[in-house]
């Protein structure tokens, strides 16, 4: 009896770990997703550790080099800008801001989208109509012009920019979560919990939301790329975070005026934006295939 009891107690944790192992195995088979994860990991390590290793501050000027961009050299691996500042140091510091805005903006958009989608999908009726019509209205407004307007009215700090970006890209997550809740709320285990007296909030948090985490995770991953692109576009157009604080977008904007004679200033930030967003999309596709195998 002791052996049977021990075996019974040990079986559930093993079964609970098995789906995670299967998802990890499916993700590992997705080569592009693995490459994207490696790129994102290296990029994150560089922007975190790099400023501590750089001998320059992001706003430190070499007055002997002011006036024209400096070519790459042993002292300045990516050259210097027209103000005599080290381009590589500014690129690393800019990565901190761009990746930070992308990550935190995705967190805000996921939280807002999950809240609205779960309420609409679970309660249906009037709640569903009001919340989904509001979502449709937000979807009908072009995002970039609206963000430009908000950025003009409220010159954004990094914190405000995160709120603006996250508050304007949640609609896709909301519609995805709503569809998941509409399907999951009719499952037998939800009906059983409702019959035992569980209220709406408990059903949402304890029984439905954990089973919708797969699609939500994928949506959150893809939202990181959207946030980075939106922040970079704003900074490039001069409506985001202003110099001397560097971001990949405003570095690219400053370098665009010297593109003909100093392309080494524009290429690195452009490549950083491109490869980061591409890597995020690959990771999102890998997570989607791992969590929702197609057979």
């Amino acid at each position: 009896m002791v052996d049977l009891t021990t075996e019974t107690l040990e079986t559930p944790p093993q079964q609970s770990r098995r789906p995670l192992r299967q998802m990890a195995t499916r993700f590992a088979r997705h080569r592009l997703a693995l490459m994207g994860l490696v790129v994102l990991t290296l990029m994150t390590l560089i922007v975190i550790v790099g400023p501590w290793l750089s001998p320059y501050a992001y706003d430190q000027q070499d007055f002997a080099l002011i006036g024209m961009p400096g070519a790459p050299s042993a002292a300045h691996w990516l050259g210097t800008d027209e103000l005599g500042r080290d381009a590589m140091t500014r690129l690393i510091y800019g990565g901190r801001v761009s990746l930070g805005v992308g990550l935190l903006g995705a967190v805000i958009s996921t939280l807002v989208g999950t809240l609205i989608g779960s309420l609409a999908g679970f309660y249906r009726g009037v709640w569903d109509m009001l919340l989904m019509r509001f979502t449709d209205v937000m979807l009908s407004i072009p995002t970039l012009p609206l963000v430009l307007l908000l950025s003009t009215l409220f010159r954004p700090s990094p914190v405000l920019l995160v709120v603006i970006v996250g508050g304007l890209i949640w609609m896709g997550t909301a519609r995805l979560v709503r569809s998941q809740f509409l399907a999951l709320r009719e499952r037998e285990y939800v009906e059983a919990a409702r019959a035992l007296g569980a209220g709406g909030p408990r059903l949402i948090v304890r029984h439905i939301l954990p089973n919708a985490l797969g699609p939500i995770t994928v949506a959150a991953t893809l939202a990181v790329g959207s946030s980075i692109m939106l922040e970079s576009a704003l900074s490039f157009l001069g409506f985001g975070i202003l110099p001397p604080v560097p971001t990949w977008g405003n570095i690219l904007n400053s370098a665009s005026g010297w593109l003909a004679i100093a392309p080494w200033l524009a290429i690195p930030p452009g490549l950083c934006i491109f490869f980061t967003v591409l890597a995020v999309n690959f990771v999102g596709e890998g997570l989607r295939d791992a969590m929702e195998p197609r057979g």
Side-chain angles (χ1 to χ4, degrees):
M1 292 297 294
V2 175
D3 293 337
L4 290 176
T5 304
T6 304
E7 182 179 356
T8 303
L9 292 174
E10 290 178 352
T11 299
Q14 293 174 355
Q15 292 178 348
S16 65
R17 287 194 296 266
R18 192 173 302 158
L20 294 177
R21 292 176 180 174
Q22 292 174 350
M23 285 190 295
T25 301
R26 289 193 292 265
F27 184 84
R29 292 173 182 168
H30 200 297
R31 295 185 178 180
L32 291 178
L34 282 179
M35 291 175 58
L37 185 60
V38 170
V39 170
L40 290 178
T41 302
L42 290 177
M43 196 79 71
T44 303
L45 290 176
I46 289 173
V47 301
I48 291 175
V49 179
W52 297 94
L53 302 179
S54 175
Y56 308 102
Y58 71 84
D59 56 352
Q60 180 179 343
Q61 295 178 274
D62 186 340
F63 294 101
L65 300 175
I66 290 179
M68 289 287 291
S73 63
H76 304 281
W77 291 2
L78 294 180
T80 57
D81 63 10
E82 70 279 8
L83 298 178
R85 299 172 298 190
D86 183 68
M88 187 172 191
T89 301
R90 291 183 60 78
L91 184 70
I92 295 173
Y93 271 97
R96 277 188 171 186
V97 177
S98 295
L99 292 180
V101 169
L103 180 60
L104 295 177
V107 170
I108 291 177
S109 71
T110 302
L111 292 176
V112 174
T114 300
L115 177 62
I116 292 178
S118 60
L119 292 177
F122 182 81
Y123 289 107
R124 298 189 298 186
V126 176
W127 278 101
D128 186 22
M129 182 186 67
L130 292 176
L131 291 175
M132 286 300 101
R133 296 298 76 77
F134 174 65
T135 302
D136 292 339
V137 169
M138 293 298 296
L139 281 171
S140 67
I141 301 174
T143 302
L144 187 57
L146 179 58
V147 176
L148 290 176
L149 175 62
L150 293 175
S151 299
T152 303
L153 297 176
F154 310 100
R155 180 58 65 186
S157 63
V159 175
L160 182 58
L161 186 60
V162 166
V163 174
I164 291 175
V165 170
L168 293 176
I169 61 171
W170 53 265
M171 291 79 75
T173 302
R175 300 181 74 172
L176 174 64
V177 173
R178 172 183 176 270
S179 66
Q180 291 292 313
F181 268 67
L182 286 174
L184 292 173
R185 74 186 303 275
E186 307 298 335
R187 297 291 178 88
E188 291 81 0
Y189 60 86
V190 177
E191 294 295 337
R194 185 182 287 113
L196 292 174
R202 182 179 178 85
L203 289 173
I204 291 174
V205 175
R206 294 292 299 275
H207 299 281
I208 302 179
L209 188 59
N211 292 284
L213 285 180
I216 293 174
T217 302
V218 176
T221 304
L222 298 177
V224 175
S226 300
S227 298
I228 293 174
M229 287 293 294
L230 189 54
E231 183 279 325
S232 298
L234 283 175
S235 297
F236 179 79
L237 295 173
F239 291 93
I241 299 173
L242 296 178
V245 178
T247 71
W248 287 340
N250 64 33
I251 292 174
L252 195 59
N253 180 31
S254 300
S256 62
W258 304 95
L259 190 58
I261 61 174
W264 57 83
L265 293 179
I267 292 175
L271 289 178
C272 285
I273 296 171
F274 173 77
F275 282 116
T276 300
V277 174
L278 191 65
V280 168
N281 289 334
F282 283 154
V283 171
E285 290 181 4
L287 288 173
R288 181 181 59 196
D289 294 343
M291 294 179 177
E292 300 176 3
R294 295 181 172 85

